[in-house]
Amino acid sequence: MKTIVICSGGLDSVSLAHKVAAEQELVCLLSFDYGQRHRKELDFAAACARRLGVPHQIIDIREIGRHLTGSALTDEVDVPDGHYAEETMKTTVVPNRNAIMLAIAFGVAAARKADAIATAVHGGDHFIYPDCRPGFIDAFQAMQNHALDGYADVGLYAPYVNVAKADIVADGSTYGTPFAETWSCYKGGARHCGRCGTCVERREAFHLADVADPTAYDDADFWVTVTGSFVAEEVE
C-alpha cells in the first residue's frame, strides 16, 4: 500500500513513519507549517525523511493558522504546565487543525495516486482534542469517500487511535525509532521543558513502556508529581 505519512516531527508521527516504512510503501512525509511556536519540530520531520530516504514536503498554511486564534500554540498565550488531560490544556487546541491538514493531505494523496494517508492520533489525545477521536476518524473517512468518489480511493490509516502513547513508544522501539531525534515540547526551547502537557505525557509514556527515555528535559522529574495526583476519564 502506497502511503503518505503526516509527520510533525514528534515522537508519535516519527514512530508511525518508521512503522509504515517497514510494513508498507512509504511515499513521502507531509508536514504543515501553521505558525506553531514550536516550529523546530519540522526540522525533526525533515531529518526523519532523510533517514528513511523519502521526499519531505512542508505545506505552508500559516495564513490559515493566523485566523485560528486563541491557542497557546499559535498566539501569545502561555503554554500551560501539567498533565495533558487537565482542563487548562484546552488552550493548546488549534480549532479544526487536524481536519484542515487531513483535507489537504487527502487531496495530495489523490493527486499522487497514493492509497492511504497515515496519521498518528492516539488515545491520549481524546481528552482535549476532538479531531483525534475515533468518531472523527471514521466520519472523516466517510466524508472523503464522498469527496473523492469516482476519482480516487484513499484510506485513512490511524493505527494508534485507540492506544496510549506508551504503546506508541513500545511500537516505535520495535521499529527502531530514534526517539532522541523527535521533538514534542510545545514551548519550542533549546531542550524539552519537561513541564508542559506534551512533555509530561512523553516522559510518562517511556516510563509505562519500560523503555529508556533519551530526551533531555529542563525539569525531568516534574511528571512524577503531576501524573501521581491526576486521574482523567476517557472521552470517546
Side-chain angles (χ1 to χ4, degrees):
M1 186 162 64
K2 296 180 180 178
T3 303
I4 295 173
V5 173
I6 297 177
C7 185
S8 67
L11 185 154
D12 308 328
S13 61
V14 171
S15 294
L16 178 59
H18 278 260
K19 178 183 182 70
V20 169
E23 297 179 345
Q24 304 173 26
E25 181 180 343
L26 179 59
V27 175
C28 69
L29 301 187
L30 198 62
S31 301
F32 293 87
D33 182 351
Y34 57 93
Q36 60 268 47
R37 71 168 68 199
H38 57 303
R39 190 186 184 281
K40 65 184 294 180
E41 66 178 358
L42 299 178
D43 295 334
F44 291 84
C48 179
R50 290 193 297 270
R51 190 166 55 246
L52 295 176
V54 297
H56 177 230
Q57 182 175 359
I58 298 176
I59 295 181
D60 187 348
I61 56 170
R62 284 177 293 177
E63 185 59 26
I64 295 174
R66 189 171 66 83
H67 295 280
L68 307 179
T69 57
S71 173
L73 303 193
T74 55
D75 286 0
E76 293 301 318
V77 178
D78 290 339
V79 175
D81 293 340
H83 194 284
Y84 215 11
E86 292 184 51
E87 186 71 16
T88 55
M89 293 301 159
K90 288 187 176 180
T91 61
T92 64
V93 172
V94 178
N96 237 29
R97 177 181 59 174
N98 280 352
I100 293 167
M101 292 178 181
L102 283 170
I104 295 170
F106 264 79
V108 172
R112 297 187 180 181
K113 310 302 182 186
D115 300 306
I117 288 292
T119 179
V121 299
H122 64 87
D125 291 329
H126 298 175
F127 303 117
I128 55 175
Y129 300 131
D131 57 359
C132 291
R133 297 171 188 164
F136 168 80
I137 294 298
D138 293 342
F140 197 92
Q141 178 70 78
M143 181 269 287
Q144 283 299 313
N145 290 343
H146 288 288
L148 295 173
D149 184 33
Y151 181 78
D153 184 9
V154 181
L156 181 51
Y157 180 54
Y160 301 142
V161 70
N162 288 308
V163 305
K165 196 179 188 79
D167 297 306
I168 299 178
V169 171
D171 195 53
S173 182
T174 298
Y175 291 102
T177 302
F179 296 118
E181 299 302 317
T182 66
W183 184 265
S184 298
C185 184
Y186 282 158
K187 296 183 181 180
R191 303 200 307 174
H192 283 74
C193 73
R195 299 181 64 89
C196 70
T198 188
C199 277
V200 168
E201 183 193 42
R202 179 186 177 108
R203 183 69 184 86
E204 180 186 29
F206 278 103
H207 171 73
L208 294 175
D210 196 24
V211 172
D213 186 355
T215 314
Y217 299 95
D218 287 333
D219 190 342
D221 298 322
F222 178 74
W223 75 278
V224 178
T225 302
V226 176
T227 57
S229 62
F230 189 82
V231 178
E233 294 183 359
E234 171 68 312
V235 177
E236 297 294 344

